[in-house]
Amino acid sequence: MSAEEERDGVRLTNLDQPLFPDAGATKRDLVDYLDALADRLVPQFAGRPLSVVRVLRGQKPFMQKNLPKYTPDWVRRVTLWAESSRREVSYALCEDRRTLLWFANQRAVEYHPPLMRVDAPDRPTHLVLDIDPPEGGGFAVAARAAHLVRRALDDSGLRGAVKTSGAKGVHVFVPLAGGDPVEDVAAATRALAARAERLDPELATTAFIREDRAGRVFLDSTRAGTGTVAAAYSPRIRPGTPVSFPVPWDGLDAVDPKAFTLRTALGLLGDGDPWAEAMPGPQGLPADLVEEGRAIPVARVQAMHEGKRRARARRTGG
């Protein structure tokens, strides 16, 4: 089998190389996997400025937002202002199989679309809670916390879909009708996390500062607007190359996230698209949820101020 070939006009090279240490897969495995899932991945990326995580031979993985200068002219792109780096960034719009294959050949393993589209950057299409187990905690405890989030959604008149993160965590997605501004979506996300925390504060916490979590599951409410989340079916750069995989709510407790990998996922999916099938219809945000969230401080900002306060206290011995 040749280490080079061409598909859809994209020259694919070094296909027999290991993907990364402990991947248990080659670059060809990545290309074949993404190619087989193009019809289920591209719809998640279409219209969204895409960030990817690449892993080159002998280098540490890195997040790529800005397209390199050698990017082919046929790759669609959009230029957006990045407040964090204070510069314009040229993002890819991965809207066809050919572009996905090009990314695969660039050893782009992880795919992280934002929760907004370029045609409506201030109107997120989804509300997302990222559920992260504590150090030493496994998937089972994250699943328990996810059920708290589901109860909070039910109590708020909302429905969501759930998937593994591709590591030990869980992502809960709530599709939105598109009429809510990013500030309201961010507020509603904070309120949902707070409501879930109140259901079992010994299990789950919204504390952004790690040392304040005391071994509890973190309900991360900071993914809003331009925030990105690993796409469903996206591989992750972890031993064995696990993938983020949709799971039914009633089967969540029995899930072993390590069972979903670059090598096994296609066989489990067949011709189906359980992520699209599990996703409820678009929903509007309840006014009381948004109002509650407006009174909750933004986690990152609160953590920054608290970190400065603690640093001052340490310096003064107080």
Side-chain angles (χ1 to χ4, degrees):
M1 184 179 294
S2 173
E4 296 191 11
E5 63 178 78
E6 186 174 304
R7 301 186 199 178
D8 207 359
V10 178
R11 182 168 171 261
L12 305 168
T13 59
N14 301 311
L15 294 173
D16 57 353
Q17 290 180 354
L19 195 53
F20 55 86
D22 300 323
T26 64
K27 184 178 173 182
R28 179 182 295 279
D29 293 324
L30 175 69
V31 170
D32 288 345
Y33 173 83
L34 294 174
D35 195 8
L37 280 175
D39 62 337
R40 283 160 278 191
L41 284 167
V42 168
Q44 297 184 63
F45 305 154
R48 301 176 193 270
L50 184 63
S51 300
V52 297
V53 181
R54 297 173 60 194
V55 56
L56 306 184
R57 293 187 72 189
Q59 298 184 27
K60 292 182 179 179
F62 63 95
M63 173 78 77
Q64 177 184 290
K65 299 175 181 288
N66 206 27
L67 283 171
K69 292 181 180 179
Y70 58 78
T71 303
D73 292 340
W74 47 261
V75 172
R76 292 194 62 200
R77 64 200 75 195
V78 61
T79 300
L80 299 174
W81 178 258
E83 192 64 36
S84 58
S85 55
R86 305 293 299 172
R87 65 181 179 126
E88 288 191 331
V89 174
S90 179
Y91 288 90
L93 294 174
C94 184
E95 300 184 319
D96 53 35
R97 173 189 180 230
R98 190 183 189 193
T99 304
L100 185 61
L101 285 170
W102 180 80
F103 269 120
N105 193 56
Q106 298 297 306
R107 302 176 74 99
V109 178
E110 299 190 9
Y111 294 78
H112 296 253
L115 304 176
M116 45 72 74
R117 296 174 54 90
V118 293
D119 56 0
D122 59 342
R123 294 291 191 271
T125 59
H126 295 80
L127 179 158
V128 170
L129 277 171
D130 183 3
I131 301 170
D132 189 22
E135 189 71 28
F139 184 82
V141 70
R144 287 174 54 205
H147 286 298
L148 298 181
V149 171
R150 189 187 190 189
R151 285 173 57 191
L153 286 172
D154 288 343
D155 292 344
S156 305
L158 295 170
R159 295 188 302 132
V162 62
K163 65 184 182 71
T164 69
S165 68
K168 292 183 180 179
V170 177
H171 295 153
V172 177
F173 272 61
V174 180
L176 302 177
D180 299 293
V182 62
E183 295 82 5
D184 287 359
V185 177
T189 309
R190 295 194 296 272
L192 273 173
R195 291 182 179 186
E197 178 185 31
R198 288 197 296 269
L199 290 171
D200 191 345
E202 293 185 0
L203 171 63
T205 179
T206 57
F208 191 80
I209 299 176
R210 191 176 297 273
E211 64 191 57
D212 292 344
R213 297 176 193 168
R216 292 170 290 175
V217 178
F218 177 43
L219 306 179
D220 185 355
S221 62
T222 63
R223 309 294 181 95
T226 56
T228 64
V229 184
Y233 314 120
S234 171
R236 306 301 302 272
I237 302 174
R238 305 280 194 281
T241 321
V243 304
S244 178
F245 203 85
V247 292
W249 279 109
D250 58 4
L252 183 60
D253 294 329
V255 162
D256 176 5
K258 296 191 294 295
F260 310 121
T261 72
L262 194 69
R263 289 185 173 277
T264 65
L266 282 176
L268 295 170
L269 285 171
D271 296 328
D273 187 352
W275 188 235
E277 295 160 7
M279 195 66 65
Q283 301 152 81
L285 292 175
D288 66 309
L289 189 69
V290 175
E291 194 62 30
E292 179 181 334
R294 286 176 180 154
I296 301 173
V298 176
R300 293 183 189 276
V301 176
Q302 184 184 37
M304 178 184 68
H305 291 309
E306 178 61 16
K308 291 179 179 178
R309 186 195 68 77
R310 294 183 188 186
R312 287 195 300 270
R314 286 193 293 269
R315 287 196 300 270
T316 61

